[in-house]
């Protein structure tokens, strides 16, 4: 058991990195943006994971597998975001309640919905995150942090791709016959 009485660094405090040489006031803005991205990503991750577990119906297997891949990609992106926030001298946001409190997006409630409604709810959050990532790419560029800009661009590319695929799942074309829907 630890005997440490005080935190090494409090959440919200940013210590300038000697190696990265990004001024503290810029690093603070970047860490704040990254923590917002981290919170939003984990809110979406948990919602997508819920839908992965609950999906039923004729397209169960494909959607179940795809949502598992989406969740894994979101988790990987969250790790990149958290590590960059730490590298910039900040403390990455952690903990479930903290994510929802700090996220610029809101998850659906705890109930189970049909897969179309679930995917529509996911698509809404994907769109919000895409807009925010674009803003944060620009922020990083404006502050001269080209590495954070590049990391966020890569994450944005994956998020846009998943949003686009979910859009395809929501189209009205299907191989399921009308009779099986009744």
């Amino acid at each position: 058991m630890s005997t440490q009485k005080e935190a090494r660094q409090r959440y919200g405090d940013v210590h300038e990195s000697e190696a990265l040489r990004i001024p503290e006031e810029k690093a603070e803005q970047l860490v704040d943006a990254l923590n917002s991205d981290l919170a939003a990503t984990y809110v979406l991750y948990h919602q997508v994971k819920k839908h992965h577990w609950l999906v039923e119906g004729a397209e169960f297997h494909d959607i179940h597998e795809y949502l598992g891949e989406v969740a894994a990609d979101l988790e990987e992106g969250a790790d990149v975001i958290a590590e960059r926030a730490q590298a910039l001298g900040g403390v990455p946001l952690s903990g479930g309640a903290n994510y929802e409190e700090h996220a610029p997006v809101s998850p659906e409630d705890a109930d189970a919905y049909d897969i179309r409604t679930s995917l529509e709810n996911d698509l809404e959050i994907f769109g919000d995150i895409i807009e925010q990532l674009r803003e944060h790419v620009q922020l990083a560029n404006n502050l001269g942090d080209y590495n954070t800009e590049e990391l966020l661009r890569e994450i944005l590319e994956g998020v846009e791709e998943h949003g686009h695929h979910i859009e395809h799942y929501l189209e009205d074309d299907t191989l399921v016959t009308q009779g099986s829907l009744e």
Side-chain angles (χ1 to χ4, degrees):
M1 176 178 230
S2 174
T3 59
Q4 186 173 351
K5 301 282 186 211
E6 293 189 31
R8 289 177 48 217
Q9 182 177 350
R10 300 223 179 267
Y11 176 79
D13 291 348
V14 176
H15 301 155
E16 189 170 333
S17 166
E18 287 183 42
L20 300 186
R21 298 189 182 181
I22 295 175
E24 192 171 314
E25 60 277 358
K26 290 182 179 182
E28 287 173 356
Q29 292 178 63
L30 292 161
V31 169
D32 186 52
L34 289 168
N35 274 327
S36 179
D37 294 334
L38 181 62
T41 299
Y42 268 121
V43 166
L44 180 57
Y45 165 83
H46 288 289
Q47 182 168 296
V48 166
K49 203 66 171 160
K50 171 187 163 187
H51 299 155
H52 164 80
W53 295 323
L54 296 176
V55 64
E56 295 178 340
E59 295 105 351
F60 157 78
H61 187 264
D62 289 342
I63 296 174
H64 173 79
E65 291 292 319
Y66 179 66
L67 292 177
E69 292 171 20
V70 172
D73 288 349
L74 289 169
E75 190 171 34
E76 184 178 318
D79 190 56
V80 169
I81 291 167
E83 288 181 359
R84 185 61 182 171
Q86 187 280 327
L88 288 166
V91 176
L93 183 65
S94 64
N98 287 330
Y99 295 135
E100 286 189 30
E101 181 182 319
H102 289 89
V105 297
S106 298
E108 68 183 25
D109 58 40
D111 295 335
Y113 297 96
D114 64 87
I115 193 59
R116 178 166 289 279
T117 300
S118 296
L119 291 176
E120 287 170 348
N121 291 339
D122 293 343
L123 188 60
E124 181 67 28
I125 295 178
F126 268 103
D128 291 342
I129 290 174
I130 287 167
E131 289 178 342
Q132 178 171 291
L133 283 169
R134 288 179 184 151
E135 290 172 10
H136 293 166
V137 164
Q138 188 62 49
L139 173 69
N141 177 277
N142 291 344
L143 295 176
D145 183 359
Y146 307 117
N147 192 12
T148 298
E149 176 188 5
E150 182 62 29
L151 293 173
L152 291 176
R153 280 183 191 277
E154 290 174 15
I155 292 168
L156 174 60
E157 183 179 337
V159 171
E160 284 183 349
E161 184 177 332
H162 286 309
H164 179 66
H165 287 168
I166 288 175
E167 210 169 33
H168 278 289
Y169 274 117
L170 291 169
E171 294 294 335
D172 62 0
D173 191 17
T174 181
L175 294 174
V176 178
T177 63
Q178 185 61 35
S180 67
L181 294 174
E182 295 171 355

